């Protein structure tokens, strides 16, 4: 089976009340860990590549590694550009075989976001590629941000219909309180998401797939392991898994996970190197790192996303 788009995955996920995991990939071990996990639990997959990942690993290397994963697993896998920031980058990924791209115009004024997104959609759709757009800005932890500024960053439900109609996007990333990275809430702050906004968006766009970025749970087990083996991440905190499960049961069809993979890999390597200080064969520490990613992804698929058995 060749690489697929997310169209059918999202239709089934929406109807079934589950979400597809979109995992960021940067190298062979990460791709293997994720795809071996998905194979074991028969889950559809989105593998996503950021501009930084593409720069680090090279488009062709990533493309060929993902093609190898398709051959090895036989799973429906979509290859997606994460946070495309220009028409040129999206075009390059579309021309180079990706089946899905994100054009992230969320920092632009509304009309400019529409114009840029529409341009990418026109190019992509003519070539059978699907497009994710974004409205609203993901929160970052900034002490200087006051409540009304914080409110202004959430996606405004009044804008979603116009955005989707005018651009023709296939899915929409929204901001309801998640954020990128390992520090999603301030120390002592109670994690919360604006499910009221998600519900309102769902009402305005019935049946339309919504995307959640910044959705790592920052698994405490890995943070503890990193701290135990010489790291220093005392205030790392993520989105509670029950909240992600709830989002997946609603209109959220794609849940983006990167930081949790990084933490699993780093925790495993720190532990291995501490326990085996004289080892220097990369295969020795990358093997448990790959296994840690595999276990994490299986857990996410079965306990958080609910897409096991849906491939
Ligand atoms: O949302 C961003 C992803 O975690 C990718 O991060 O740009 O460092 O590859 P990156
Ligand atoms: P996390 O940093 O929470 O893993 O989010 C990843 C993401 O949204 C990639 O686009
Ligand atoms: Zn993101």
């Amino acid at each position: 089976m060749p690489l697929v788009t997310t169209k059918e995955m999202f239709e089934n996920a929406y109807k079934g009340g589950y979400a597809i995991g979109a995992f960021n990939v940067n190298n062979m071990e990460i791709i293997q860990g994720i795809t071996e996990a998905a194979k074991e639990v028969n889950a559809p997959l989105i593998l996503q590549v950021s501009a930084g990942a593409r720069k680090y690993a090279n488009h062709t290397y990533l493309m060929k590694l993902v093609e190898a994963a398709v051959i090895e697993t036989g799973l429906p896998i979509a290859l997606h550009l994460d946070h495309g920031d220009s028409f040129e980058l999206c075009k390059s990924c579309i021309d180079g075989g990706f089946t899905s791209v994100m054009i992230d115009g969320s920092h632009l004024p509304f009309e400019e976001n529409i114009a840029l997104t529409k341009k990418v959609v026109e190019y992509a759709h003519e070539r059978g590629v699907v497009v994710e757009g974004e409205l609203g800005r993901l929160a970052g932890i900034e002490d200087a941000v006051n409540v009304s500024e914080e409110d202004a960053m959430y996606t405004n439900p009044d804008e979603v219909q116009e955005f989707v109609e005018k651009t023709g996007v296939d899915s929409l990333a929204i901001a309801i309180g998640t954020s990128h990275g390992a520090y999603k809430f301030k120390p002592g702050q109670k994690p919360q998401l604006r499910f009221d906004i998600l519900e309102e968006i769902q009402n305005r766009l019935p049946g339309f797939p919504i995307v959640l970025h910044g959705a790592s749970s920052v698994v405490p087990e890995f943070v503890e392991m990193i701290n135990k083996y010489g790291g220093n991440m005392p205030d790392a905190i993520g989105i509670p898994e029950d909240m992600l499960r709830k989002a997946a049961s609603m209109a959220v069809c794609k849940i983006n996970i990167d930081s949790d993979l990084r933490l699993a890999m780093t925790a495993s390597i720190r532990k291995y190197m501490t326990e085996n200080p004289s080892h220097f064969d990369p295969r020795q520490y990358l093997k448990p790192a790959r296994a840690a990613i595999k276990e994490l992804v299986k857990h996410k698929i079965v306990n958080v996303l609910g897409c096991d058995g849906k491939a």
Side-chain angles (χ1 to χ4, degrees):
M1 179 194 288
L3 285 166
V4 299
T5 75
T6 53
K7 199 175 175 349
E8 204 181 318
M9 286 183 194
F10 288 168
E11 276 167 15
N12 293 336
Y14 200 103
K15 280 188 236 136
Y18 61 87
I20 313 294
F23 299 97
N24 285 72
V25 298
N26 293 276
N27 68 12
M28 183 186 76
E29 283 77 10
I30 296 174
I31 291 172
Q32 288 176 333
I34 297 165
T35 54
E36 284 171 18
K39 174 77 183 162
E40 271 187 29
V41 293
N42 197 33
L45 259 187
I46 300 168
L47 297 178
Q48 54 187 15
V49 170
S50 69
R54 200 162 169 261
K55 221 175 187 170
Y56 170 78
N58 171 297
H59 180 96
T60 311
Y61 278 92
L62 289 171
M63 192 73 212
K64 296 295 168 192
L65 285 167
V66 170
E67 281 171 7
V70 171
I71 292 169
E72 284 298 314
T73 62
L75 289 173
I77 297 178
L79 180 55
H80 173 77
L81 168 67
D82 190 25
H83 292 285
D85 63 353
S86 66
F87 173 79
E88 289 71 28
L89 176 59
C90 292
K91 177 179 182 302
S92 174
C93 289
I94 294 164
D95 294 346
F98 283 34
T99 53
S100 172
V101 294
M102 173 189 195
I103 176 69
D104 182 355
S106 58
H107 55 287
L108 296 171
F110 187 61
E111 293 299 337
E112 287 177 39
N113 188 0
I114 289 179
L116 176 61
T117 307
K118 186 170 187 283
K119 188 174 170 190
V120 172
V121 168
E122 281 168 2
Y123 190 82
H125 282 184
E126 278 169 17
R127 289 154 183 85
V129 171
V130 291
V131 179
E132 172 185 326
E134 177 162 343
L135 259 188
R137 283 185 296 138
L138 255 63
I141 297 175
E142 282 184 40
D143 286 330
V145 174
N146 65 38
V147 174
S148 59
E149 282 171 327
E150 233 172 71
D151 260 358
M153 302 204 302
Y154 294 124
T155 305
N156 178 356
D158 289 340
E159 292 182 343
V160 296
Q161 267 170 314
E162 186 183 346
F163 185 82
V164 168
E165 274 164 27
K166 287 191 171 165
T167 60
V169 279
D170 303 279
S171 62
L172 181 68
I174 60 165
I176 57 166
T178 62
S179 63
H180 293 108
Y183 301 89
K184 299 190 190 296
F185 301 97
K186 294 176 195 147
Q189 189 188 359
K190 195 168 171 276
Q192 56 180 22
L193 296 183
R194 291 290 303 270
F195 283 103
D196 57 325
I197 295 178
L198 173 57
E199 207 173 324
E200 190 52 42
I201 291 171
Q202 185 171 324
N203 290 339
R204 308 278 182 110
L205 294 173
F208 191 80
I210 298 301
V211 177
L212 214 54
H213 282 247
S216 278
S217 327
V218 186
V219 177
E221 179 195 334
F222 293 127
V223 175
E224 278 161 31
M225 216 197 271
I226 286 173
N227 290 333
K228 181 174 170 193
Y229 292 103
N232 184 26
M233 304 185 70
D235 297 327
I237 180 162
I239 313 295
E241 288 185 343
D242 60 334
M243 290 188 192
L244 296 169
R245 181 88 275 290
K246 180 172 170 182
S249 74
M250 298 168 71
V252 171
C253 293
K254 171 174 180 273
I255 291 191
N256 285 12
I257 297 170
D258 187 4
S259 295
D260 275 334
L261 302 172
R262 297 178 180 194
L263 291 166
M265 191 160 200
T266 302
S268 163
I269 292 173
R270 273 191 180 279
K271 180 173 186 288
Y272 186 89
M273 293 311 283
T274 307
E275 290 172 351
N276 302 279
S278 62
H279 288 188
F280 62 94
D281 180 342
R283 290 172 297 187
Q284 289 174 312
Y285 56 83
L286 289 174
K287 202 171 166 185
R290 181 174 58 192
I293 286 182
K294 182 175 171 181
E295 280 318 298
L296 170 78
V297 170
K298 253 203 291 186
H299 166 77
K300 294 278 178 188
I301 288 173
V302 174
N303 301 103
V304 182
L305 302 160
C307 59
D308 50 309
K310 311 292 187 188

